[in-house]
């Protein structure tokens, strides 16, 4: 039986890092150009996770900008740790990469995190923090083709030693995502290798010292689904955690590709969970250790029902590319969520898009906006998106793919209070040679029923086509004038039942 097929955190939540404090686990992910940055999750069992906040939730902490050129920039591969009663998070902001990595701290991971300090002189991505018994803090990061390290004062960001390369990996491409930790007599260095694509894997080395020299595990990579038919691919970029009973687990990223060859994934790199056994001083991955059900993803935000206590607050799942969503999405008690004017109706680039991550292979999202012109968008970036737009009582289905900008269909006389709707329908046909991973239906609701205006092959809204490191988000943007969003729904749908067998050719003599 195939195991490790359901993510514990579905949707565009890559590069997981995890730590434990008592019975509680905390996990963070990369967020790239989306603000706020670095989502934080909490769990008591490693299987069920709830988002409790975002680490970088103030513009003073996170410099990010709009536009296609900044897609997949921003936040790369954070690490979360708990040391001496405080939580620490370090990451790289590609917008400020020459400043070094940033480090913030907090007493409560759901609360306010400090202003960042930067590790001037440590240039690269994917930083990690670890402490030895003497309290010395080691900053370890990836520089193209190698893993580097320096001693750091995490409160100031000042490097206390010269950066030096400590390991070149096993010989696979792109050693990155390092995590240094101790178990028993050994220090371990966990890295991702092979590039975050079909060749991805996780490798490990060990040493008597947190700085090496490192002995490579002869069984490397300890996890990879490359060149297999496993439904989860690109597995890599992991982090280990010790449980209260002394057992171990690992979180890692993976994707769920679909469609005809070559397959494509739609929701980005997601967070998965495995068990870990220790054999002869080496970690052995146990992919069937945990029974992971499909995570609950449905939600409804009824902004019309907000009260004064909601003023200025959004659920932490809401994000925006290149800008703080609180700067343009303001709850108005008893009315809804006031969206300040964003892009012009005919423009291509998002300016004020309030978005959430798509999290399932089939889903339906709706937005009810009775005031103002508006678009309901599913996107990878400004050059790869599809939307249903309403101007007055005219509703248009539109798709942008690279240089192409196409109106698919138009409907007149649609009431302003009719919810706009987008639906993803997964392709489960096993023997088709001309199908993307899903079809995206653009339309609106009529008496609660979905009415499709236009459909686009979902492969055009994947990173296999667009490039980059993110996944799909679904968002609402006011077009040229302010708008009032009163209700947003996201519902996972069952995937279509696939055909059971290849069609059989009739006998030659029929």
């Amino acid at each position: 039986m195939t195991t490790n097929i359901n993510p514990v955190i579905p949707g565009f939540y890559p590069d997981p890092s995890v730590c434990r404090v008592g019975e509680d686990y905390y996990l963070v992910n990369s967020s790239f150009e989306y603000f706020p940055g670095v989502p934080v999750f909490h769990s008591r069992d490693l299987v069920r996770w709830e988002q409790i906040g975002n680490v970088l939730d103030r513009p003073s902490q996170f410099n990010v900008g709009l536009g296609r050129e900044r897609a997949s920039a921003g936040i790369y591969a954070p690490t979360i740790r708990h040391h001496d009663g405080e939580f620490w998070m370090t990451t790289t902001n590609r917008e400020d990469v020459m400043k070094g990595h940033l480090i913030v701290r907090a007493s409560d991971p759901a609360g306010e995190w400090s202003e960042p300090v930067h590790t001037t002189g440590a240039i690269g991505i994917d930083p990690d923090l670890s402490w030895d018994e003497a309290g010395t803090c080691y900053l370890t990061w990836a520089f193209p083709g190698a893993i580097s390290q320096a001693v750091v004062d995490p409160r100031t960001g000042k490097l206390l030693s010269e950066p030096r390369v400590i390991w070149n990996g096993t010989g696979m491409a792109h050693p990155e995502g390092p995590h240094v930790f101790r178990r028993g007599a050994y220090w371990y260095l966990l890295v991702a290798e092979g590039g975050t694509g079909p060749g991805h894997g996780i490798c490990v080395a060990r040493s008597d010292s947190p700085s090496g020299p490192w002995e490579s595990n002869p069984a490397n990579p300890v996890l990879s689904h490359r060149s297999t038919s496993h439904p989860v691919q690109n597995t890599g970029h992991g982090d280990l955690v010790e449980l209260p009973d002394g057992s171990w687990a690992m979180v890692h990223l993976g994707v769920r590709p679909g469609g005809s060859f070559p397959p494509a994934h739609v929701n980005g790199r997601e967070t998965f969970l495995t068990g870990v056994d220790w054999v002869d001083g080496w970690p052995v991955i146990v992919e069937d250790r945990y029974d992971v059900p499909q995570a609950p993803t449905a939600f409804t935000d009824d902004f019309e029902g907000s009260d004064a206590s909601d003023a200025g607050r959004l659920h932490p799942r809401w994000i925006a590319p290149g800008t703080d969503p609180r700067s343009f999405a303001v709850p108005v008690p008893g009315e809804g969520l006031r969206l300040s004017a964003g892009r012009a109706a005919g423009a291509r680039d998002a300016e004020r898009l309030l978005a959430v991550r798509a999290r399932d292979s089939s889903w339906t999202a709706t937005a009810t906006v009775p005031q103002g012109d508006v678009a309901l968008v599913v996107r990878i970036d400004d050059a790869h998106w599809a939307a249903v737009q309403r101007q007055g009582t005219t509703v248009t289905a539109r798709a942008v793919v690279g240089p192409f900008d196409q109106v698919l269909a138009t409907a007149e006389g649609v009431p302003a209070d009719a919810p706009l709707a987008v639906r993803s329908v997964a392709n489960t046909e096993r023997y088709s040679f001309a199908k993307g991973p899903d079809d995206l239906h653009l339309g609106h609701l009529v008496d609660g029923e979905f009415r499709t205006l236009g459909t686009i092959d979902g492969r055009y809204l994947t990173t296999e086509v667009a490039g980059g490191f993110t996944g799909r988000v679904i968002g609402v943007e006011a077009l040229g004038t302010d708008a009032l969003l009163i209700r947003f729904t996201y519902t996972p749908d069952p995937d279509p039942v696939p055909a059971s067998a290849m069609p059989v050719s009739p006998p030659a003599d029929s």
Side-chain angles (χ1 to χ4, degrees):
M1 182 179 69
T2 303
T3 59
N4 193 21
I5 60 174
N6 289 326
V8 290
I9 306 179
F12 146 49
Y13 294 102
D15 308 325
S17 176
V18 64
C19 72
R20 178 179 63 85
V21 181
E23 301 288 333
D24 297 286
Y25 301 91
Y26 300 94
L27 184 148
V28 294
N29 299 98
S30 296
S31 50
F32 298 95
E33 74 266 32
Y34 289 93
F35 193 105
V38 191
V40 188
F41 292 85
H42 169 258
S43 176
R44 299 277 289 183
D45 62 4
L46 290 172
V47 174
R48 290 171 287 271
W49 294 88
E50 176 187 7
Q51 188 175 358
I52 57 174
N54 295 279
V55 175
L56 305 178
D57 64 355
R58 304 188 300 276
S60 60
Q61 296 173 306
F62 180 19
N63 172 38
V64 68
L66 293 162
R68 175 82 195 286
E69 292 303 314
R70 285 170 151 170
S72 289
I75 296 302
Y76 277 42
T79 294
I80 187 170
R81 294 292 181 256
H82 187 263
H83 178 75
D84 276 354
E86 288 187 294
F87 291 90
W88 299 80
M89 192 284 299
T90 183
T91 189
T92 310
N93 181 358
R94 281 294 302 270
E95 298 285 355
D96 295 326
V97 67
M98 299 310 295
K99 291 183 178 180
H101 313 290
L102 66 86
I103 301 173
V104 293
R105 54 195 171 94
S107 58
D108 179 358
E112 184 172 295
W113 290 73
S114 68
E115 289 297 306
V117 297
H118 288 88
T119 61
T120 303
I123 307 301
I125 59 172
D126 302 2
D128 173 81
L129 293 175
S130 55
W131 286 261
D132 66 15
E133 295 85 348
T136 301
C137 184
Y138 297 87
L139 176 73
T140 309
W141 69 94
F143 188 79
I147 304 299
S148 296
Q149 189 182 80
V151 176
V152 68
D153 179 347
R155 294 185 178 273
T156 66
K158 181 180 180 180
L159 299 188
L160 304 180
S161 68
E162 289 295 317
R164 68 182 188 91
V165 172
I166 62 169
W167 201 43
N168 291 306
T170 67
M172 296 169 62
H174 309 300
E176 57 193 9
H179 291 300
V180 175
F181 62 96
R182 183 161 192 173
R183 178 184 180 271
Y186 287 110
W187 287 86
Y188 291 87
L189 173 59
L190 194 75
V191 302
E193 287 191 283
T196 187
H200 212 198
I202 296 174
C203 297
V204 66
R206 68 186 183 188
S207 173
D208 296 329
S209 161
S211 298
W214 298 96
E215 171 195 2
S216 180
N217 185 352
N220 279 328
V222 293
L223 176 66
S224 180
H225 288 172
R226 60 187 181 179
S227 301
T228 72
S229 59
H230 196 287
V232 177
Q233 288 293 312
N234 303 11
T235 49
H237 205 114
D239 196 11
L240 270 67
V241 64
E242 185 176 10
L243 281 63
D245 64 3
S247 62
W248 288 69
M250 182 176 73
V251 291
H252 66 88
L253 69 77
V255 304
R256 294 180 285 172
S260 306
F261 182 85
H265 68 285
V266 297
N267 290 334
R269 299 169 300 157
E270 305 174 287
T271 294
F272 293 81
L273 174 69
T274 72
V276 176
D277 286 343
W278 291 88
V279 179
D280 297 328
W282 292 111
V284 176
I285 306 306
V286 185
E287 293 201 64
D288 63 355
R289 175 67 49 80
Y290 293 93
D291 182 13
V292 178
Q294 287 190 333
T297 56
F299 74 91
T300 296
D301 273 351
D302 182 5
F303 296 109
E304 190 177 27
S306 62
D307 56 33
S309 66
D310 296 316
R313 294 171 52 192
L314 289 169
H315 190 282
R317 64 173 154 253
W318 288 102
I319 53 177
T323 190
D324 184 349
R326 295 169 301 185
S327 69
F328 65 86
V330 179
V332 179
E335 295 185 24
L337 190 68
R338 177 67 62 184
L339 302 178
S340 299
R343 66 172 172 87
R348 293 163 52 100
D349 293 356
E351 295 180 10
R352 290 170 170 169
L353 179 72
L354 181 67
V356 293
R357 292 161 171 88
R359 308 189 68 188
D360 299 275
S361 53
S362 296
W363 50 263
T364 300
T366 71
T368 306
V369 186
Q371 298 178 22
D373 296 341
V374 69
L376 176 61
V377 183
V378 56
R379 83 191 293 264
I380 291 289
D381 58 31
D382 284 335
H384 300 85
W385 56 267
V388 53
Q389 301 186 175
R390 192 193 69 237
Q391 293 175 268
T393 60
T394 301
V395 174
T396 300
R398 179 182 173 196
V400 170
V401 180
F404 304 107
D405 189 340
Q406 180 76 43
V407 172
L408 305 177
T410 298
E412 302 288 350
V414 178
D417 59 356
L420 302 181
V422 177
R423 173 170 288 168
S424 165
V425 180
N427 169 36
T428 56
E429 295 181 27
R430 300 175 183 175
Y431 304 112
S432 170
F433 295 100
K435 284 284 190 178
D438 65 347
D439 289 322
L440 288 166
H441 298 262
L442 311 171
H444 58 97
L445 300 188
V446 178
D447 296 328
E449 297 296 321
F450 194 105
R451 179 170 294 179
T452 298
L453 293 180
T455 302
I456 180 174
D457 186 325
R459 79 184 81 194
Y460 300 116
L461 273 63
T462 66
T463 54
E464 281 81 1
V465 171
F469 304 113
T470 61
R472 287 182 186 165
V473 299
I474 310 155
V476 182
E477 184 163 14
L479 301 179
T481 62
D482 290 359
L484 187 71
L485 173 65
I486 65 171
R487 184 179 174 87
F488 186 98
T489 69
Y490 174 89
T491 307
D493 296 329
D495 289 341
V497 177
S500 60
M502 176 77 82
V504 178
S505 300
D509 59 354
S510 62

